[in-house]
Amino acid sequence: MNKIIGMFAHVDAGKTTLAEQILYHTKSIRSLGRVDHKDSFLDNNNIEKERGITVFSDQAVFKYNSSTYYLVDTPGHMDFSSEMERAIQIMDYAIVIISGNQGIQSQTEVIWELLRKNKIPTFFFINKVDIETSNLEAVLNEIKLNLTLDVYLMDDSFEGGNMSPELVEFIAEKDDNLLEKYLENGYKKDLWLNSVRKMIKQNKLFPCFSGSALKDIGIDTFIEKLDILTFTEYDNKVKFSGIVYKVRYDEDQNKITYIKALSGVLNIKEKIQIGENYEKVNEIRIYNGSKFKTADSVSAGQLFAVCGLTSVKIGDGIGSLGKKANYSAVPTLKSKVIFDDKLNPKEVLNCFKILEDEDPALNITWNEKMKEIQVHIMGIVQLEVLKQVVKERFNLLVDFGPCKILYKETILENSIGYGHFEPLKHYAEVHLRLEPGERNSGITFKSECSTDDLTIGNQNLIRTNIYEREHHGILTGSPVTDLKITLLTGRAHIKHTSGGDFREATLRALRQGLESAKNVVLEPYYRFKISADVEYIGKVLSDIQRLNGSFKSPDIHNDKVFINGRGPVSEFMNYNLEFISSTNGRGKINFVFDGYDVCHNQEEVIQNIGYNNNADIEYTSSSIFCSKGQAFLVSGDKAKEYMHCLK
């Protein structure tokens, strides 16, 4: 039985140390490494060793009883949330490690929300119980208050499948059928063990264990019960399918694609379906830390890497799985890359494009107007790591400019956009209806166009034109989002229309529709949770209002105040240090990205960015028509009068 287990935690909770103990106890490694000694098995990158944090998700393989486990160690720092989220989608089970003396922290809640979104069965491990300031009961109460009431401490609740009466009653209370069987027949070992396993799998029960990874307390018990309580059901008798969760390039710039097999069997030299195309698998590797063994085939439930695939991207479904994964960890900042003028910008850009293939959230772009490379990031620490990565891998010395907020734009009302492209021997016309979408919904497209006007092929071409790139807004040139686009009608010419013509007409129609509507700038927001001594309530509430945030009515328990609220990233991104200082280090604040919303200082942002709508040569609302063999330009505000479909 193959089982994929993910390790998740806030920084310094002891996640990598626990992974090290699990590997040592299962005889996967011969000696224990330590993060502070820079010799842990999974943090094998030089950057990870220097910083003492996990930056890249890596896997180890071990066997226990009749199962083969793939243990994946994920980053705990919020700046590497995108790497962590990509790993989540391949997990059969997750282990969330919480420090017994620190309790739930900001990244713990981010992790929990992502695990629930992806419905990953989860175990808790409360670590560092050997420390004097550790409080197991307090952490359990925190989990119940902030994460879930369906948690149960199982350290001493069952041995070899024999469960305590308290655990049986806890389980029975959550299922009417089980409660009835309990009242009728009392305790039957097999019934309750199988029920617990199913409830964990169904995310109805979250087992909790405690111990000390550093002092080797409770590790054997945890491994034994993890093995008893987990199971997988993969099918090897159907067509192969898998999902790409990681991409890396070796020293010779060869692409290595990491895949989770979801069903079936894949053999070496076999051609695998990627979208509508097929590519050959030249080599199959099973990684264990930084080392790997080659294999002739892999089956469902395994993690492996292949060489030979060139077009595949992170999140792609391959084989019989056609869908692509969606990720919610979104960068909110951007920075420009600073490098020596003597370097060729294209060569530097190529290096960053390789990094983008490994981490799509970087969204590397070349700004032609500014002649600069721009990178999207989650935070300052990520920039520091990028700087080291570029130096180590490409021998390039780069720096980064100040971090700037990533703004977006949308519309507040419906409009119709018209686009026509008819230079000599070309022809296409497109009419689009634009409507405001739900906040943080992105761009959606549908067609109401009759096949009498445009063929299905041309309609699909327009759809592709909509999704193939980001589209600039008209206020700041920021990406357009939260937009419902409907194709109403269009026109083609039997002889003169080519695919590129529809691209031109579509982009002009979209731009013209934006110019016909009321637009608004959006900015990223944080959701925050604050706890502090009640004496600081006035100062904290005043700070939130000063920073243009909002909050719900504070909750006061004993001498503590708890405040939930929301505010712009631009205002709160540097508030953490101020908050710690103003509460004399006794307060706690957790930030979670909460999507985009209307910008609180739109006019100031528009003025500072200084975007000239009419000077953006890549985006124009003007249409091109043809009369008597001569092409002529019609500005967007007058284009509707010339449209052929309206005549």
Side-chain angles (χ1 to χ4, degrees):
M1 186 182 295
N2 296 318
K3 300 177 184 178
I4 301 172
I5 311 291
M7 308 283 286
F8 301 90
H10 188 94
V11 172
D12 291 333
K15 169 178 55 62
T16 301
T17 306
L18 178 59
E20 200 79 9
Q21 285 284 10
I22 291 173
L23 296 176
Y24 179 72
H25 278 258
T26 55
K27 298 180 172 56
S28 180
I29 57 177
R30 295 181 179 178
S31 59
L32 278 170
R34 285 180 50 164
V35 174
D36 53 346
H37 293 171
K38 302 180 181 181
D39 61 355
S40 58
F41 184 73
L42 288 172
D43 282 352
N44 49 61
N45 185 280
N46 288 334
I47 295 170
E48 294 175 315
K49 291 177 181 178
E50 289 176 17
R51 292 181 170 270
I53 61 172
T54 303
V55 174
F56 310 103
S57 61
D58 271 310
Q59 69 191 52
V61 183
F62 67 88
K63 294 183 182 296
Y64 189 84
N65 291 333
S66 60
S67 296
T68 298
Y69 286 84
Y70 295 84
L71 191 70
V72 182
D73 190 17
T74 66
H77 196 285
M78 66 176 294
D79 282 14
F80 307 103
S81 294
S82 56
E83 176 88 0
M84 179 264 292
E85 184 184 9
R86 288 192 290 271
I88 280 180
Q89 297 200 2
I90 64 167
M91 301 302 169
D92 295 319
Y93 292 88
I95 303 169
V96 174
I97 298 93
I98 301 175
S99 172
N101 65 330
Q102 294 290 333
I104 292 173
Q105 296 176 279
S106 56
Q107 191 67 359
T108 317
E109 297 193 31
V110 173
I111 291 164
W112 179 254
E113 288 187 9
L114 287 172
L115 290 172
R116 300 287 55 78
K117 173 189 170 186
N118 290 279
K119 299 179 181 178
I120 308 297
T122 303
F123 289 70
F124 290 103
F125 186 87
I126 300 175
N127 193 26
K128 304 184 180 182
V129 295
D130 57 306
I131 298 176
E132 287 186 10
T133 54
S134 180
N135 189 326
L136 181 60
E137 185 177 349
V139 177
L140 268 173
N141 288 333
E142 268 197 89
I143 293 173
K144 292 175 182 177
L145 180 65
N146 297 285
L147 305 182
T148 178
L149 290 171
D150 298 323
V151 61
Y152 194 93
L153 184 64
M154 292 191 181
D155 284 339
D156 303 313
S157 297
F158 75 94
E159 293 294 335
N162 293 306
M163 300 186 181
S164 67
E166 293 81 8
L167 176 55
V168 171
E169 289 176 12
F170 182 82
I171 297 163
E173 288 173 358
K174 296 187 175 299
D175 188 297
D176 290 340
N177 291 329
L178 288 177
L179 181 58
E180 186 177 339
K181 290 179 181 178
Y182 175 64
L183 294 175
E184 288 179 358
N185 304 312
Y187 174 74
K188 288 186 178 180
K189 176 180 173 180
D190 292 340
L191 167 68
W192 294 104
L193 178 57
N194 290 332
S195 297
V196 167
R197 285 156 54 92
K198 288 178 182 177
M199 290 180 76
I200 294 169
K201 192 76 168 177
Q202 295 168 356
N203 289 283
K204 295 179 179 179
L205 174 64
F206 302 98
C208 182
F209 298 88
S210 67
S212 170
L214 189 61
K215 297 295 179 65
D216 194 7
I217 299 172
I219 307 302
D220 273 331
T221 298
F222 177 60
I223 297 170
E224 176 192 354
K225 293 178 180 178
L226 178 72
D227 185 64
I228 292 171
L229 295 173
T230 56
F231 69 96
T232 56
E233 298 173 308
Y234 288 105
D235 190 351
N236 289 328
K237 297 179 181 179
V238 295
K239 288 184 178 180
F240 175 80
S241 68
I243 186 168
V244 177
Y245 67 95
K246 186 165 69 171
V247 166
R248 292 289 182 264
Y249 284 80
D250 64 18
E251 295 177 355
D252 298 320
Q253 305 307 332
N254 297 312
K255 187 172 183 176
I256 304 169
T257 306
Y258 292 74
I259 301 168
K260 176 186 179 179
L262 298 172
S263 64
V265 175
L266 178 68
N267 299 306
I268 192 170
K269 302 301 180 183
E270 187 175 332
K271 286 189 175 180
I272 188 171
Q273 185 176 358
I274 301 172
E276 297 179 356
N277 302 314
Y278 286 84
E279 294 188 36
K280 184 187 287 187
V281 174
N282 293 329
E283 185 180 24
I284 297 176
R285 300 176 177 181
I286 307 295
Y287 273 88
N288 191 9
S290 59
K291 298 179 180 180
F292 66 87
K293 293 181 179 179
T294 58
D296 293 330
S297 66
V298 285
S299 58
Q302 286 189 270
L303 296 184
F304 62 100
V306 300
C307 301
L309 306 185
T310 57
S311 64
V312 71
K313 301 288 185 183
I314 289 174
D316 282 352
I318 58 176
S320 61
L321 182 69
K323 65 180 182 179
K324 186 177 178 69
N326 292 315
Y327 304 115
S328 58
V330 179
T332 57
L333 305 171
K334 67 178 179 180
S335 177
K336 71 174 182 179
V337 183
I338 300 171
F339 53 91
D340 196 312
D341 292 339
K342 297 177 183 178
L343 294 173
N344 186 332
K346 288 186 178 179
E347 292 180 4
V348 179
L349 180 60
N350 287 338
C351 294
F352 274 90
K353 281 295 184 181
I354 289 174
L355 297 180
E356 181 187 39
D357 205 16
E358 297 179 345
D359 182 2
L362 292 175
N363 195 19
I364 306 298
T365 57
W366 169 256
N367 187 315
E368 182 63 32
K369 180 181 177 182
M370 304 295 292
K371 302 294 181 184
E372 66 185 29
I373 300 169
Q374 296 179 341
V375 55
H376 292 191
I377 54 156
M378 307 289 285
I380 301 297
V381 174
Q382 187 181 8
L383 275 188
E384 295 171 358
V385 168
L386 267 177
K387 185 176 178 179
Q388 289 179 265
V389 168
V390 172
K391 184 177 184 300
E392 286 189 7
R393 290 182 54 181
F394 307 111
N395 198 27
L396 291 177
L397 295 175
V398 301
D399 210 337
F400 295 93
C403 291
K404 297 180 180 179
I405 295 293
L406 278 169
Y407 293 97
K408 295 186 180 183
E409 295 184 35
T410 192
I411 59 173
L412 297 177
E413 59 190 14
N414 295 359
S415 70
I416 306 292
Y418 304 94
H420 189 94
F421 185 70
E422 192 187 356
L424 193 61
K425 295 185 179 180
H426 293 270
Y427 188 96
E429 183 167 302
V430 174
H431 295 198
L432 302 173
R433 180 172 67 237
L434 308 185
E435 302 171 89
E438 292 183 9
R439 194 65 70 235
N440 302 298
S441 63
I443 291 179
T444 60
F445 176 88
K446 69 176 182 178
S447 177
E448 294 178 358
C449 180
S450 168
T451 52
D452 293 337
D453 297 329
L454 289 176
T455 65
I456 294 297
N458 284 334
Q459 292 183 39
N460 288 337
L461 194 57
I462 293 169
R463 177 193 297 272
T464 300
N465 298 147
I466 293 293
Y467 285 124
E468 70 181 357
R469 65 188 293 182
E470 285 187 335
H471 304 285
H472 292 184
I474 65 172
L475 300 176
T476 62
S478 301
V480 174
T481 189
D482 300 348
L483 203 61
K484 296 178 182 177
I485 302 176
T486 304
L487 173 62
L488 299 176
T489 189
R491 187 172 290 184
H493 191 281
I494 295 175
K495 293 183 179 179
H496 298 314
T497 298
S498 62
D501 298 343
F502 273 109
R503 181 179 182 278
E504 291 289 342
T506 299
L507 295 181
R508 293 165 196 270
L510 177 56
R511 188 69 165 190
Q512 200 269 346
L514 292 174
E515 292 179 359
S516 303
K518 184 176 182 181
N519 291 250
V520 66
V521 178
L522 304 176
E523 67 176 327
Y525 274 69
Y526 281 140
R527 184 172 75 254
F528 56 78
K529 183 179 292 185
I530 292 173
S531 63
D533 292 345
V534 73
E535 62 186 280
Y536 299 111
I537 185 172
K539 175 69 169 69
V540 172
L541 295 182
S542 175
D543 286 346
I544 294 172
Q545 292 173 324
R546 172 174 58 85
L547 297 172
N548 292 282
S550 59
F551 56 88
K552 298 177 182 177
S553 297
D555 292 324
I556 298 176
H557 298 285
N558 298 324
D559 59 346
K560 290 284 186 180
V561 61
F562 299 89
I563 304 167
N564 290 284
R566 190 170 185 264
V569 171
S570 59
E571 299 286 353
F572 281 87
M573 59 189 295
N574 298 316
Y575 178 61
N576 195 39
L577 293 177
E578 179 187 341
F579 171 79
I580 292 172
S581 174
S582 64
T583 59
N584 292 316
R586 297 202 298 271
K588 187 164 70 171
I589 183 167
N590 297 334
F591 289 112
V592 178
F593 173 65
D594 196 38
Y596 276 75
D597 214 332
V598 176
C599 183
H600 78 285
N601 59 337
Q602 174 171 294
E603 294 305 318
E604 180 184 346
V605 169
I606 292 173
Q607 185 175 354
N608 288 340
I609 292 177
Y611 175 69
N612 185 343
N613 177 29
N614 298 317
D616 194 338
I617 58 175
E618 286 190 52
Y619 291 86
T620 177
S621 62
S622 298
S623 283
I624 300 175
F625 292 86
C626 188
S627 177
K628 298 178 181 180
Q630 294 292 321
F632 64 97
L633 202 65
V634 177
S635 62
D637 59 331
K638 298 178 180 178
K640 179 181 177 181
E641 303 169 17
Y642 290 80
M643 291 295 152
H644 294 180
C645 290
L646 298 177
K647 296 177 182 177

